[in-house]
Amino acid sequence: MRTAHRTPDSRMLRDVTAIGAAMVAVGASFGAVAVAAGLPAWATVAMSAVVYAGGAQFMAVGLVAAGSPFAAVLAGLLLNARHLPFGLTLGDSLGRQRWRRLLGSHLMTDEATAFALARPAGEARSRAFWLAGTLLFLAWNAGTLLGVLAGGAVGDPATLGLDAAFPAGLIALLLPTLRDPETRRVALTGAGLAVLSTPVLPAGLPVLLALGALAVPALRRHRRPAADPAADPPETAAASGTAAASGTAGSSVRGRAGAGLREAGSGSVPETEEASC
């Protein structure tokens, strides 16, 4: 009986499809909420295609409906500032051509970044990013269009538990990287900073504050006691002690040998004189 083995690309396609299904539902909710808030249908679809910012789009629609479009722009920039370190990490995976980097920066999301970083650097990481980024972009925009057409028939995604689908998916994707103790310490510190600061900081700032956890490795190295260059390592000290002992013993042997020769020399002189006499 032949057993089917899934290749890494087929497994990733299955995982991306699962995340994409949840993204369709959340995108449909956004389309319905935006239309209900008074945003034109064409502007809602254009926002998902041109801005493509996920949670920042929900916040922007709420601020625009409240009459604060300028605040919506600033809040969107702040909430998506986390894409700056994403871009620094995945810059080589997007390609060398300028159009590939521009398009890749537009498709860059938390989920696409997680899928890419789960693969080794090189061709595998680049292929994972483009596959995840393209499929998730299509899923979000398809969901938005469904929401616009369905109107109020689509409810709040939180009632279906879909608001927890994306964090659960990200955690599952990042679990392999947490095997490294240093990475685990940084991740836990960043999560703690974000959780503690969420009640007191505006949306978007806790995520940026979590980047402060990257200083944990530097602090650990700084706290380690620096080796004293004047002090010899234990192996060197032991070798020096052995050499010193050997030198002392050699000097004692040479000293006793020299004394014996002097005694012998001093005793032979009278015998020689007696013989000569």
Side-chain angles (χ1 to χ4, degrees), residues 150-229:
V154 181
D156 186 0
T159 60
L160 302 176
L162 294 175
D163 56 330
F166 296 105
L170 288 175
I171 291 174
L173 291 172
L174 296 176
L175 277 179
T177 63
L178 298 180
R179 295 174 182 173
D180 178 54
E182 194 71 47
T183 303
R184 191 162 55 247
R185 281 190 290 266
V186 172
L188 291 176
T189 303
L193 290 174
V195 170
L196 293 176
S197 59
T198 295
V200 296
L201 293 180
L205 282 182
V207 179
L208 298 179
L209 183 62
L211 295 176
L214 297 175
V216 170
L219 292 176
R220 287 177 58 83
R221 286 192 296 267
H222 180 71
R223 290 179 180 178
R224 289 175 184 169
D228 187 2

Side-chain angles (χ1 to χ4, degrees), residues 252-267:
S252 301
V253 171
R254 288 193 296 271
R256 289 195 297 270
L261 290 175
R262 286 193 299 271
E263 292 177 358
S266 60

Side-chain angles (χ1 to χ4, degrees), residues 18-248:
I19 297 292
M23 188 169 283
V24 168
V26 177
S29 177
F30 165 74
V33 168
V35 171
L39 202 66
W42 67 267
T44 303
V45 175
M47 180 183 287
S48 286
V50 177
V51 179
Y52 186 45
Q57 291 182 220
F58 281 95
M59 182 174 58
V61 167
L63 291 174
V64 169
S68 302
F70 184 70
V73 174
L74 291 181
L77 292 174
L78 179 62
L79 189 59
N80 288 284
R82 66 187 186 280
H83 287 193
L84 291 175
F86 290 172
L88 294 175
T89 304
L90 295 177
D92 294 335
S93 301
L94 302 183
R96 297 292 182 182
Q97 297 87 348
R98 184 179 297 275
W99 70 269
R100 288 175 65 92
R101 288 179 175 266
L102 290 174
L103 180 59
S105 63
H106 184 60
L107 299 178
M108 190 176 297
T109 60
D110 299 344
E111 295 80 13
T113 302
F115 274 110
L117 294 181
R119 300 294 185 275
E123 183 63 27
R125 178 172 294 180
S126 177
R127 188 167 58 251
F129 172 81
W130 285 106
L131 176 61
T134 303
L135 292 181
L136 295 178
F137 176 79
L138 294 176
W140 176 260
N141 283 273
T144 301
L145 182 60
L146 288 176
V148 169
L149 297 177
V154 181
D156 186 0
T159 60
L160 302 176
L162 294 175
D163 56 330
F166 296 105
L170 288 175
I171 291 174
L173 291 172
L174 296 176
L175 277 179
T177 63
L178 298 180
R179 295 174 182 173
D180 178 54
E182 194 71 47
T183 303
R184 191 162 55 247
R185 281 190 290 266
V186 172
L188 291 176
T189 303
L193 290 174
V195 170
L196 293 176
S197 59
T198 295
V200 296
L201 293 180
L205 282 182
V207 179
L208 298 179
L209 183 62
L211 295 176
L214 297 175
V216 170
L219 292 176
R220 287 177 58 83
R221 286 192 296 267
H222 180 71
R223 290 179 180 178
R224 289 175 184 169
D228 187 2
D232 292 334
E235 295 82 358
T236 307
S240 301
T242 304
S246 301
T248 304

